[in-house]
């Protein structure tokens, strides 16, 4: 049977603990051949602190979610679902739905050719973007997602965008050069 990527919902802030506990449970139950990978998508973010000092840290791209590549059967479902901190699988009608390859790649991708294309594009500023406009994310781990601008902060050059991720709207803060206005 094929191994597919599934999205597991966790308690907020428990992503790393769920990954560790799940790896341990997989080993105990001898499911290493059926549950083959666990990912927590992250991105490097550089923040400007007081005094002009830059600090780089790793942020979770999808807080409260963990990606698990597994062969879905009753045993693997039960082991993952009953891991402490897991609230369930993302899916329809209570049934886990596997991610399509393009969905998985969108979630895991970190720049690549899109970053180069975005760097070559004309510079956009937050003052050219207005709340309510539809946008497409051009670079970063959320590249290719579409959304709607909910807030613009021209002073900082940041915009808040509502993206539909896992079937629900999620607010994401981006810079104006990471997006393109649609239409």
């Amino acid at each position: 049977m094929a191994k597919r990527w599934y999205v597991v919902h966790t308690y907020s802030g428990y992503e790393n603990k769920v990954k560790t506990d799940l790896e341990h449970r997989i080993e105990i139950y001898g499911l290493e051949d059926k549950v083959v990978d666990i990912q927590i998508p992250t991105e490097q973010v550089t923040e400007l602190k007081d005094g002009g000092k830059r600090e780089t840290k790793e942020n979770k791209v999808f807080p409260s979610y963990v990606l698990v590549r597994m062969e879905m059967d009753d045993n693997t479902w039960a082991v993952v679902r009953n891991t402490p901190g897991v609230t369930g699988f993302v899916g329809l009608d209570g049934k886990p739905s596997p991610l399509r390859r393009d969905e998985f790649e969108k979630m895991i991708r970190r720049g690549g050719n899109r970053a180069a294309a975005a760097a070559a594009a004309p510079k956009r500023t937050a003052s050219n973007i207005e709340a309510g406009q539809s946008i497409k994310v051009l670079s970063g781990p959320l590249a290719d997602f579409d959304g709607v601008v909910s807030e613009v902060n021209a002073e900082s050059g940041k915009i808040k965008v509502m993206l539909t991720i896992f079937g629900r709207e999620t607010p994401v803060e981006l810079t104006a050069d990471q997006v393109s206005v649609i239409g």
Side-chain angles (χ1 to χ4, degrees):
M1 193 170 191
K3 292 168 185 66
R4 309 275 309 267
W5 284 101
Y6 293 87
V7 181
V8 176
H9 189 260
T10 69
Y11 292 124
S12 181
Y14 278 70
E15 303 87 354
N16 293 332
K17 176 105 173 87
V18 165
K19 180 178 179 181
T20 303
D21 288 351
L22 188 51
E23 288 168 342
H24 183 69
R25 289 171 58 86
I26 290 164
E27 188 178 323
I28 288 172
Y29 288 98
L31 297 173
E32 296 94 338
D33 59 327
K34 291 187 174 193
V35 183
V36 295
D37 198 3
I38 303 166
Q39 296 286 326
I40 302 170
T42 59
E43 65 180 337
Q44 295 292 324
V45 177
T46 304
E47 293 179 350
L48 196 57
K49 298 290 185 181
D50 292 336
K53 195 169 148 185
R54 291 181 183 267
E55 182 179 296
T56 302
K57 65 180 187 175
E58 196 170 62
N59 281 352
K60 290 174 181 64
V61 178
F62 304 107
S64 300
Y65 292 99
V66 174
L67 305 178
V68 180
R69 185 168 181 229
M70 61 190 274
E71 184 179 307
M72 184 61 73
D73 63 24
D74 290 342
N75 288 337
T76 56
W77 179 89
V79 167
V80 173
R81 179 64 186 90
N82 295 317
T83 299
V86 170
T87 61
F89 282 89
V90 173
L92 297 172
D93 299 326
K95 295 182 182 178
S97 297
L99 291 173
R100 294 187 321 263
R101 179 179 294 274
D102 63 315
E103 290 174 320
F104 173 76
E105 288 173 358
K106 262 191 223 180
M107 294 167 69
I108 290 297
R109 186 182 314 133
R110 308 252 197 309
N113 292 339
R114 298 220 180 265
K123 195 74 169 165
R124 285 174 294 285
T125 63
S127 60
N128 303 64
I129 300 172
E130 299 173 5
Q133 287 183 310
S134 296
I135 59 93
K136 177 181 271 306
V137 181
L138 298 175
S139 64
L142 300 172
D144 292 331
F145 277 91
D146 294 338
V148 177
V149 177
S150 62
E151 194 177 304
V152 178
N153 186 340
E155 290 174 14
S156 68
K158 303 268 185 177
I159 59 172
K160 191 171 282 185
V161 178
M162 297 302 286
L163 299 178
T164 302
I165 301 172
F166 305 134
R168 69 179 195 197
E169 287 209 333
T170 305
V172 178
E173 189 173 82
L174 301 166
T175 58
D177 60 346
Q178 287 182 286
V179 303
S180 173
V181 176
I182 299 173

